PDB file of all heavy atoms in Angstrom:
ATOM      1  N   GLY A  21     -31.811  32.295  -1.833  1.00  0.00           N
ATOM      2  CA  GLY A  21     -31.907  31.691  -3.054  1.00  0.00           C
ATOM      3  C   GLY A  21     -31.877  32.705  -4.214  1.00  0.00           C
ATOM      4  O   GLY A  21     -31.303  32.489  -5.206  1.00  0.00           O
ATOM      5  N   SER A  22     -32.596  33.787  -3.923  1.00  0.00           N
ATOM      6  CA  SER A  22     -32.640  34.875  -4.911  1.00  0.00           C
ATOM      7  C   SER A  22     -31.240  35.564  -5.061  1.00  0.00           C
ATOM      8  O   SER A  22     -30.749  35.843  -6.134  1.00  0.00           O
ATOM      9  CB  SER A  22     -33.676  35.896  -4.481  1.00  0.00           C
ATOM     10  OG  SER A  22     -33.394  37.173  -5.109  1.00  0.00           O
ATOM     11  N   ALA A  23     -30.603  35.742  -3.907  1.00  0.00           N
ATOM     12  CA  ALA A  23     -29.318  36.474  -3.908  1.00  0.00           C
ATOM     13  C   ALA A  23     -28.155  35.548  -4.506  1.00  0.00           C
ATOM     14  O   ALA A  23     -27.438  36.072  -5.296  1.00  0.00           O
ATOM     15  CB  ALA A  23     -29.003  36.872  -2.496  1.00  0.00           C
ATOM     16  N   VAL A  24     -28.084  34.337  -3.978  1.00  0.00           N
ATOM     17  CA  VAL A  24     -26.991  33.507  -4.414  1.00  0.00           C
ATOM     18  C   VAL A  24     -27.288  32.966  -5.783  1.00  0.00           C
ATOM     19  O   VAL A  24     -28.312  32.262  -6.018  1.00  0.00           O
ATOM     20  CB  VAL A  24     -26.810  32.404  -3.369  1.00  0.00           C
ATOM     21  CG1 VAL A  24     -25.741  31.476  -3.874  1.00  0.00           C
ATOM     22  CG2 VAL A  24     -26.456  33.004  -2.046  1.00  0.00           C
ATOM     23  N   GLY A  25     -26.413  33.229  -6.736  1.00  0.00           N
ATOM     24  CA  GLY A  25     -26.617  32.731  -8.074  1.00  0.00           C
ATOM     25  C   GLY A  25     -25.414  32.989  -8.956  1.00  0.00           C
ATOM     26  O   GLY A  25     -24.279  33.008  -8.425  1.00  0.00           O
ATOM     27  N   LEU A  26     -25.682  33.296 -10.188  1.00  0.00           N
ATOM     28  CA  LEU A  26     -24.584  33.496 -11.018  1.00  0.00           C
ATOM     29  C   LEU A  26     -23.756  34.716 -10.680  1.00  0.00           C
ATOM     30  O   LEU A  26     -22.591  34.861 -10.932  1.00  0.00           O
ATOM     31  CB  LEU A  26     -25.089  33.650 -12.556  1.00  0.00           C
ATOM     32  CG  LEU A  26     -25.796  32.384 -13.043  1.00  0.00           C
ATOM     33  CD1 LEU A  26     -26.441  32.697 -14.487  1.00  0.00           C
ATOM     34  CD2 LEU A  26     -24.848  31.217 -13.173  1.00  0.00           C
ATOM     35  N   GLY A  27     -24.506  35.625 -10.045  1.00  0.00           N
ATOM     36  CA  GLY A  27     -23.780  36.878  -9.596  1.00  0.00           C
ATOM     37  C   GLY A  27     -22.632  36.561  -8.686  1.00  0.00           C
ATOM     38  O   GLY A  27     -21.565  37.171  -8.823  1.00  0.00           O
ATOM     39  N   ASN A  28     -22.760  35.622  -7.840  1.00  0.00           N
ATOM     40  CA  ASN A  28     -21.763  35.198  -6.923  1.00  0.00           C
ATOM     41  C   ASN A  28     -20.618  34.383  -7.547  1.00  0.00           C
ATOM     42  O   ASN A  28     -19.490  34.659  -7.339  1.00  0.00           O
ATOM     43  CB  ASN A  28     -22.290  34.297  -5.722  1.00  0.00           C
ATOM     44  CG  ASN A  28     -23.473  35.024  -5.065  1.00  0.00           C
ATOM     45  OD1 ASN A  28     -24.436  35.179  -5.770  1.00  0.00           O
ATOM     46  ND2 ASN A  28     -23.265  35.312  -3.922  1.00  0.00           N
ATOM     47  N   CYS A  97     -36.229  46.365 -14.880  1.00  0.00           N
ATOM     48  CA  CYS A  97     -34.940  45.665 -14.558  1.00  0.00           C
ATOM     49  C   CYS A  97     -35.106  44.138 -14.535  1.00  0.00           C
ATOM     50  O   CYS A  97     -34.211  43.381 -14.914  1.00  0.00           O
ATOM     51  CB  CYS A  97     -34.441  46.051 -13.187  1.00  0.00           C
ATOM     52  SG  CYS A  97     -33.646  47.741 -13.118  1.00  0.00           S
ATOM     53  N   GLY A  98     -36.258  43.725 -13.984  1.00  0.00           N
ATOM     54  CA  GLY A  98     -36.539  42.304 -13.844  1.00  0.00           C
ATOM     55  C   GLY A  98     -36.387  41.548 -15.224  1.00  0.00           C
ATOM     56  O   GLY A  98     -35.656  40.586 -15.450  1.00  0.00           O
ATOM     57  N   ILE A 101     -32.651  42.161 -16.739  1.00  0.00           N
ATOM     58  CA  ILE A 101     -31.629  41.287 -16.219  1.00  0.00           C
ATOM     59  C   ILE A 101     -31.836  39.839 -16.561  1.00  0.00           C
ATOM     60  O   ILE A 101     -30.928  39.143 -17.006  1.00  0.00           O
ATOM     61  CB  ILE A 101     -31.533  41.499 -14.715  1.00  0.00           C
ATOM     62  CG1 ILE A 101     -31.042  42.924 -14.335  1.00  0.00           C
ATOM     63  CG2 ILE A 101     -30.576  40.499 -14.077  1.00  0.00           C
ATOM     64  CD1 ILE A 101     -30.978  43.263 -12.893  1.00  0.00           C
ATOM     65  N   TYR A 105     -29.268  37.090 -18.073  1.00  0.00           N
ATOM     66  CA  TYR A 105     -29.010  36.144 -17.085  1.00  0.00           C
ATOM     67  C   TYR A 105     -29.311  34.641 -17.561  1.00  0.00           C
ATOM     68  O   TYR A 105     -28.600  33.664 -17.284  1.00  0.00           O
ATOM     69  CB  TYR A 105     -29.833  36.370 -15.858  1.00  0.00           C
ATOM     70  CG  TYR A 105     -29.346  35.853 -14.511  1.00  0.00           C
ATOM     71  CD1 TYR A 105     -28.557  36.562 -13.651  1.00  0.00           C
ATOM     72  CD2 TYR A 105     -29.746  34.587 -14.070  1.00  0.00           C
ATOM     73  CE1 TYR A 105     -28.183  36.030 -12.423  1.00  0.00           C
ATOM     74  CE2 TYR A 105     -29.336  34.121 -12.939  1.00  0.00           C
ATOM     75  CZ  TYR A 105     -28.555  34.731 -12.031  1.00  0.00           C
ATOM     76  OH  TYR A 105     -28.167  34.288 -10.893  1.00  0.00           O
ATOM     77  N   GLN A 223     -22.080  45.414  -9.148  1.00  0.00           N
ATOM     78  CA  GLN A 223     -21.975  44.037  -8.781  1.00  0.00           C
ATOM     79  C   GLN A 223     -22.659  43.773  -7.371  1.00  0.00           C
ATOM     80  O   GLN A 223     -23.310  42.716  -7.171  1.00  0.00           O
ATOM     81  CB  GLN A 223     -20.506  43.608  -8.827  1.00  0.00           C
ATOM     82  CG  GLN A 223     -20.213  42.229  -8.276  1.00  0.00           C
ATOM     83  CD  GLN A 223     -20.936  41.109  -9.135  1.00  0.00           C
ATOM     84  OE1 GLN A 223     -21.157  41.298 -10.284  1.00  0.00           O
ATOM     85  NE2 GLN A 223     -21.187  40.047  -8.497  1.00  0.00           N
ATOM     86  N   PHE A 225     -25.090  45.463  -6.004  1.00  0.00           N
ATOM     87  CA  PHE A 225     -26.566  45.467  -6.201  1.00  0.00           C
ATOM     88  C   PHE A 225     -27.092  44.204  -6.807  1.00  0.00           C
ATOM     89  O   PHE A 225     -28.024  43.642  -6.358  1.00  0.00           O
ATOM     90  CB  PHE A 225     -26.886  46.677  -7.034  1.00  0.00           C
ATOM     91  CG  PHE A 225     -27.237  47.994  -6.274  1.00  0.00           C
ATOM     92  CD1 PHE A 225     -26.279  48.838  -6.073  1.00  0.00           C
ATOM     93  CD2 PHE A 225     -28.494  48.149  -5.670  1.00  0.00           C
ATOM     94  CE1 PHE A 225     -26.542  50.016  -5.307  1.00  0.00           C
ATOM     95  CE2 PHE A 225     -28.773  49.244  -4.894  1.00  0.00           C
ATOM     96  CZ  PHE A 225     -27.772  50.201  -4.707  1.00  0.00           C
ATOM     97  N   PHE A 226     -26.349  43.819  -7.894  1.00  0.00           N
ATOM     98  CA  PHE A 226     -26.727  42.651  -8.642  1.00  0.00           C
ATOM     99  C   PHE A 226     -26.696  41.407  -7.746  1.00  0.00           C
ATOM    100  O   PHE A 226     -27.614  40.549  -7.712  1.00  0.00           O
ATOM    101  CB  PHE A 226     -25.787  42.480  -9.804  1.00  0.00           C
ATOM    102  CG  PHE A 226     -25.986  41.265 -10.690  1.00  0.00           C
ATOM    103  CD1 PHE A 226     -27.144  41.035 -11.296  1.00  0.00           C
ATOM    104  CD2 PHE A 226     -24.875  40.404 -10.874  1.00  0.00           C
ATOM    105  CE1 PHE A 226     -27.290  39.900 -12.145  1.00  0.00           C
ATOM    106  CE2 PHE A 226     -25.022  39.260 -11.602  1.00  0.00           C
ATOM    107  CZ  PHE A 226     -26.273  39.044 -12.257  1.00  0.00           C
ATOM    108  N   SER A 227     -25.602  41.246  -7.028  1.00  0.00           N
ATOM    109  CA  SER A 227     -25.437  40.001  -6.172  1.00  0.00           C
ATOM    110  C   SER A 227     -26.429  39.921  -5.168  1.00  0.00           C
ATOM    111  O   SER A 227     -26.909  38.848  -4.767  1.00  0.00           O
ATOM    112  CB  SER A 227     -24.001  39.978  -5.649  1.00  0.00           C
ATOM    113  OG  SER A 227     -23.737  38.757  -5.025  1.00  0.00           O
ATOM    114  N   LEU A 228     -26.810  41.127  -4.535  1.00  0.00           N
ATOM    115  CA  LEU A 228     -27.787  41.070  -3.456  1.00  0.00           C
ATOM    116  C   LEU A 228     -29.312  41.046  -3.962  1.00  0.00           C
ATOM    117  O   LEU A 228     -30.180  41.163  -3.053  1.00  0.00           O
ATOM    118  CB  LEU A 228     -27.583  42.312  -2.599  1.00  0.00           C
ATOM    119  CG  LEU A 228     -26.241  42.212  -1.706  1.00  0.00           C
ATOM    120  CD1 LEU A 228     -26.071  43.527  -0.992  1.00  0.00           C
ATOM    121  CD2 LEU A 228     -26.224  41.068  -0.729  1.00  0.00           C
ATOM    122  N   SER A 229     -29.440  41.127  -5.305  1.00  0.00           N
ATOM    123  CA  SER A 229     -30.816  41.152  -5.873  1.00  0.00           C
ATOM    124  C   SER A 229     -31.464  42.437  -5.470  1.00  0.00           C
ATOM    125  O   SER A 229     -32.646  42.483  -5.091  1.00  0.00           O
ATOM    126  CB  SER A 229     -31.713  40.020  -5.373  1.00  0.00           C
ATOM    127  OG  SER A 229     -31.139  38.831  -5.751  1.00  0.00           O
ATOM    128  N   LEU A 230     -30.791  43.516  -5.413  1.00  0.00           N
ATOM    129  CA  LEU A 230     -31.156  44.800  -4.791  1.00  0.00           C
ATOM    130  C   LEU A 230     -31.316  45.886  -5.864  1.00  0.00           C
ATOM    131  O   LEU A 230     -30.748  45.924  -6.797  1.00  0.00           O
ATOM    132  CB  LEU A 230     -30.176  45.282  -3.773  1.00  0.00           C
ATOM    133  CG  LEU A 230     -30.360  46.436  -2.892  1.00  0.00           C
ATOM    134  CD1 LEU A 230     -31.556  46.017  -1.947  1.00  0.00           C
ATOM    135  CD2 LEU A 230     -29.153  46.718  -2.088  1.00  0.00           C
ATOM    136  N   GLY A 231     -32.351  46.770  -5.536  1.00  0.00           N
ATOM    137  CA  GLY A 231     -32.473  47.980  -6.302  1.00  0.00           C
ATOM    138  C   GLY A 231     -33.612  47.976  -7.379  1.00  0.00           C
ATOM    139  O   GLY A 231     -33.944  48.916  -8.063  1.00  0.00           O
ATOM    140  N   MET A 232     -34.325  46.796  -7.444  1.00  0.00           N
ATOM    141  CA  MET A 232     -35.404  46.711  -8.420  1.00  0.00           C
ATOM    142  C   MET A 232     -36.722  46.224  -7.797  1.00  0.00           C
ATOM    143  O   MET A 232     -37.628  45.967  -8.472  1.00  0.00           O
ATOM    144  CB  MET A 232     -34.994  45.770  -9.577  1.00  0.00           C
ATOM    145  CG  MET A 232     -34.705  44.480  -9.200  1.00  0.00           C
ATOM    146  SD  MET A 232     -34.697  43.271 -10.569  1.00  0.00           S
ATOM    147  CE  MET A 232     -36.319  42.561 -10.353  1.00  0.00           C
ATOM    148  N   GLY A 233     -36.672  46.181  -6.479  1.00  0.00           N
ATOM    149  CA  GLY A 233     -37.982  45.850  -5.791  1.00  0.00           C
ATOM    150  C   GLY A 233     -38.103  44.377  -5.685  1.00  0.00           C
ATOM    151  O   GLY A 233     -39.265  43.926  -5.177  1.00  0.00           O
ATOM    152  N   ALA A 234     -37.147  43.500  -6.045  1.00  0.00           N
ATOM    153  CA  ALA A 234     -37.345  42.065  -5.742  1.00  0.00           C
ATOM    154  C   ALA A 234     -37.537  41.890  -4.227  1.00  0.00           C
ATOM    155  O   ALA A 234     -38.302  40.983  -3.830  1.00  0.00           O
ATOM    156  CB  ALA A 234     -36.136  41.319  -6.277  1.00  0.00           C
ATOM    157  N   ASP A 259     -24.545  35.730   1.311  1.00  0.00           N
ATOM    158  CA  ASP A 259     -24.312  36.054  -0.204  1.00  0.00           C
ATOM    159  C   ASP A 259     -22.908  36.480  -0.309  1.00  0.00           C
ATOM    160  O   ASP A 259     -22.250  36.103  -1.293  1.00  0.00           O
ATOM    161  CB  ASP A 259     -25.342  37.120  -0.606  1.00  0.00           C
ATOM    162  CG  ASP A 259     -25.195  37.479  -2.098  1.00  0.00           C
ATOM    163  OD1 ASP A 259     -25.594  36.581  -2.941  1.00  0.00           O
ATOM    164  OD2 ASP A 259     -24.661  38.516  -2.463  1.00  0.00           O
ATOM    165  N   ALA A 318     -28.879  27.099  -8.518  1.00  0.00           N
ATOM    166  CA  ALA A 318     -28.795  28.418  -7.874  1.00  0.00           C
ATOM    167  C   ALA A 318     -29.176  29.517  -8.845  1.00  0.00           C
ATOM    168  O   ALA A 318     -29.892  30.494  -8.419  1.00  0.00           O
ATOM    169  CB  ALA A 318     -27.331  28.642  -7.400  1.00  0.00           C
ATOM    170  N   ALA A 319     -28.892  29.368 -10.050  1.00  0.00           N
ATOM    171  CA  ALA A 319     -29.333  30.263 -11.090  1.00  0.00           C
ATOM    172  C   ALA A 319     -30.892  30.314 -11.166  1.00  0.00           C
ATOM    173  O   ALA A 319     -31.517  31.359 -11.309  1.00  0.00           O
ATOM    174  CB  ALA A 319     -28.711  30.026 -12.401  1.00  0.00           C
ATOM    175  N   THR A 321     -33.098  29.608  -8.764  1.00  0.00           N
ATOM    176  CA  THR A 321     -33.768  30.309  -7.661  1.00  0.00           C
ATOM    177  C   THR A 321     -33.634  31.838  -7.909  1.00  0.00           C
ATOM    178  O   THR A 321     -34.400  32.612  -7.369  1.00  0.00           O
ATOM    179  CB  THR A 321     -33.231  29.890  -6.328  1.00  0.00           C
ATOM    180  OG1 THR A 321     -31.859  29.964  -6.238  1.00  0.00           O
ATOM    181  CG2 THR A 321     -33.634  28.507  -6.016  1.00  0.00           C
ATOM    182  N   SER A 322     -32.555  32.238  -8.618  1.00  0.00           N
ATOM    183  CA  SER A 322     -32.486  33.669  -8.836  1.00  0.00           C
ATOM    184  C   SER A 322     -33.332  34.036 -10.074  1.00  0.00           C
ATOM    185  O   SER A 322     -33.987  35.210  -9.984  1.00  0.00           O
ATOM    186  CB  SER A 322     -31.016  33.985  -9.269  1.00  0.00           C
ATOM    187  OG  SER A 322     -30.148  33.756  -8.144  1.00  0.00           O
ATOM    188  N   THR A 323     -33.428  33.304 -11.099  1.00  0.00           N
ATOM    189  CA  THR A 323     -34.386  33.727 -12.243  1.00  0.00           C
ATOM    190  C   THR A 323     -35.824  33.788 -11.715  1.00  0.00           C
ATOM    191  O   THR A 323     -36.583  34.572 -12.165  1.00  0.00           O
ATOM    192  CB  THR A 323     -34.175  32.749 -13.448  1.00  0.00           C
ATOM    193  OG1 THR A 323     -34.497  31.404 -13.059  1.00  0.00           O
ATOM    194  CG2 THR A 323     -32.897  32.867 -14.130  1.00  0.00           C
ATOM    195  N   SER A 325     -36.728  34.807  -8.871  1.00  0.00           N
ATOM    196  CA  SER A 325     -36.948  36.101  -8.161  1.00  0.00           C
ATOM    197  C   SER A 325     -37.068  37.230  -9.197  1.00  0.00           C
ATOM    198  O   SER A 325     -37.728  38.174  -9.027  1.00  0.00           O
ATOM    199  CB  SER A 325     -36.003  36.259  -7.094  1.00  0.00           C
ATOM    200  OG  SER A 325     -34.886  37.025  -7.463  1.00  0.00           O
ATOM    201  N   LEU A 326     -36.219  37.030 -10.276  1.00  0.00           N
ATOM    202  CA  LEU A 326     -36.237  38.143 -11.337  1.00  0.00           C
ATOM    203  C   LEU A 326     -37.569  38.190 -11.928  1.00  0.00           C
ATOM    204  O   LEU A 326     -38.056  39.262 -12.279  1.00  0.00           O
ATOM    205  CB  LEU A 326     -35.107  37.863 -12.304  1.00  0.00           C
ATOM    206  CG  LEU A 326     -33.712  38.267 -11.902  1.00  0.00           C
ATOM    207  CD1 LEU A 326     -32.649  37.548 -12.804  1.00  0.00           C
ATOM    208  CD2 LEU A 326     -33.502  39.757 -11.824  1.00  0.00           C
ATOM    209  N   VAL A 329     -40.817  39.706  -9.788  1.00  0.00           N
ATOM    210  CA  VAL A 329     -41.175  41.153  -9.703  1.00  0.00           C
ATOM    211  C   VAL A 329     -42.160  41.523 -10.771  1.00  0.00           C
ATOM    212  O   VAL A 329     -43.237  42.096 -10.415  1.00  0.00           O
ATOM    213  CB  VAL A 329     -39.955  42.007  -9.763  1.00  0.00           C
ATOM    214  CG1 VAL A 329     -40.268  43.480  -9.771  1.00  0.00           C
ATOM    215  CG2 VAL A 329     -39.052  41.725  -8.449  1.00  0.00           C
ATOM    216  N   ASN A 390     -27.132  46.373 -14.556  1.00  0.00           N
ATOM    217  CA  ASN A 390     -26.493  46.302 -13.155  1.00  0.00           C
ATOM    218  C   ASN A 390     -25.791  47.569 -12.665  1.00  0.00           C
ATOM    219  O   ASN A 390     -25.898  47.933 -11.570  1.00  0.00           O
ATOM    220  CB  ASN A 390     -25.358  45.145 -13.271  1.00  0.00           C
ATOM    221  CG  ASN A 390     -25.941  43.769 -13.525  1.00  0.00           C
ATOM    222  OD1 ASN A 390     -27.138  43.643 -13.760  1.00  0.00           O
ATOM    223  ND2 ASN A 390     -25.157  42.804 -13.657  1.00  0.00           N
ATOM    224  N   LEU A 394     -29.928  49.448 -11.544  1.00  0.00           N
ATOM    225  CA  LEU A 394     -30.053  48.961 -10.195  1.00  0.00           C
ATOM    226  C   LEU A 394     -29.649  50.098  -9.174  1.00  0.00           C
ATOM    227  O   LEU A 394     -30.331  50.342  -8.195  1.00  0.00           O
ATOM    228  CB  LEU A 394     -29.341  47.667  -9.888  1.00  0.00           C
ATOM    229  CG  LEU A 394     -29.851  46.432 -10.575  1.00  0.00           C
ATOM    230  CD1 LEU A 394     -29.007  45.249 -10.247  1.00  0.00           C
ATOM    231  CD2 LEU A 394     -31.279  46.203 -10.287  1.00  0.00           C
TER     232      LEU A 394
HETATM  233  N1  LIG B   1     -28.657  38.093  -7.190  1.00  0.00           N
HETATM  234  C1  LIG B   1     -28.732  37.230  -8.173  1.00  0.00           C
HETATM  235  C2  LIG B   1     -27.370  36.618  -8.470  1.00  0.00           C
HETATM  236  O1  LIG B   1     -26.452  36.965  -7.895  1.00  0.00           O
HETATM  237  C3  LIG B   1     -29.398  37.760  -9.459  1.00  0.00           C
HETATM  238  C4  LIG B   1     -30.747  38.276  -9.198  1.00  0.00           C
HETATM  239  C5  LIG B   1     -31.889  37.609  -8.835  1.00  0.00           C
HETATM  240  C6  LIG B   1     -31.080  39.605  -9.096  1.00  0.00           C
HETATM  241  N2  LIG B   1     -32.831  38.487  -8.507  1.00  0.00           N
HETATM  242  C7  LIG B   1     -32.436  39.672  -8.693  1.00  0.00           C
HETATM  243  C8  LIG B   1     -30.383  40.802  -9.358  1.00  0.00           C
HETATM  244  C9  LIG B   1     -33.000  40.938  -8.592  1.00  0.00           C
HETATM  245  C10 LIG B   1     -30.999  41.936  -9.183  1.00  0.00           C
HETATM  246  C11 LIG B   1     -32.318  42.055  -8.892  1.00  0.00           C
HETATM  247  O2  LIG B   1     -27.188  35.708  -9.271  1.00  0.00           O
END
Side-chain angles (χ1 to χ4, degrees):
S22 159
V24 175
L26 298 173
N28 307 63
C97 281
I101 295 177
Y105 200 95
Q223 175 61 27
F225 270 94
F226 175 59
S227 188
L228 293 171
S229 302
L230 189 63
M232 57 165 262
D259 184 70
T321 54
S322 298
T323 55
S325 95
L326 282 163
V329 172
N390 297 359
L394 293 179

